[in-house]
């Protein structure tokens, strides 16, 4: 589930999806609260643990703190608000589409 993009069209996609539906999906997070979300931080949605971040930092080009996370598939969608546990404090974040930016 981490190595194959089922959103793309390729030979055998339907068979792979039917045999092993993905349990997790990679999402982008944009911190809206104070704090920088780093790797291996728990992510909560409506009080329930739904996954963990894989990376995160402050992005000067984008003007804020951003992170990527592996979250339970189908639990959240772009625009939903989640919280990341940063050193025992919950930091609010918004689910944003990936990639964060594209080179012109």
């Amino acid at each position: 589930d981490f190595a194959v993009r089922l959103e793309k069209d390729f030979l055998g996609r339907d068979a792979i999806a039917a045999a092993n539906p993905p349990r997790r999906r990679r999402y982008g997070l944009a911190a809206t609260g104070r704090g920088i979300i780093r790797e291996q931080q728990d992510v909560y949605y409506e009080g329930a643990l739904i996954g963990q971040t894989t990376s995160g930092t402050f992005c000067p080009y984008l003007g804020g703190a951003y992170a990527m996370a592996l979250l339970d598939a189908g639990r959240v969608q772009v625009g939903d608000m989640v919280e990341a546990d940063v050193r025992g404090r919950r930091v609010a974040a918004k689910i944003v589409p990936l990639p964060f930016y594209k080179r012109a």
Side-chain angles (χ1 to χ4, degrees):
D1 61 345
F2 72 93
V4 177
R5 290 194 126 188
L6 293 177
E7 296 87 27
K8 292 188 175 188
D9 189 28
F10 60 90
L11 187 63
R13 179 180 65 115
D14 296 334
I16 290 173
N20 189 15
R23 295 181 311 265
R24 297 180 300 168
R25 183 171 173 235
R26 189 169 56 113
Y27 291 92
L29 304 177
T32 58
R34 275 184 70 109
I36 297 175
I37 303 168
R38 302 289 185 180
E39 64 278 348
Q40 298 182 353
Q41 305 295 312
D42 290 336
V43 178
Y44 297 89
Y45 178 65
E46 296 178 344
L49 178 65
I50 60 167
Q52 220 177 35
T53 59
T54 57
S55 62
T57 191
F58 179 80
C59 298
Y61 180 76
L62 300 172
Y66 287 80
M68 288 189 290
L70 287 175
L71 307 178
D72 295 342
R75 293 284 300 266
V76 293
Q77 58 188 357
V78 172
D80 285 346
M81 295 299 293
V82 295
E83 294 178 318
D85 187 337
V86 177
R87 297 186 201 137
R89 184 176 52 90
R90 301 265 177 109
V91 174
K94 183 178 183 179
I95 303 290
V96 295
L98 292 173
F100 296 124
Y101 71 94
K102 293 182 182 179
R103 293 183 184 192

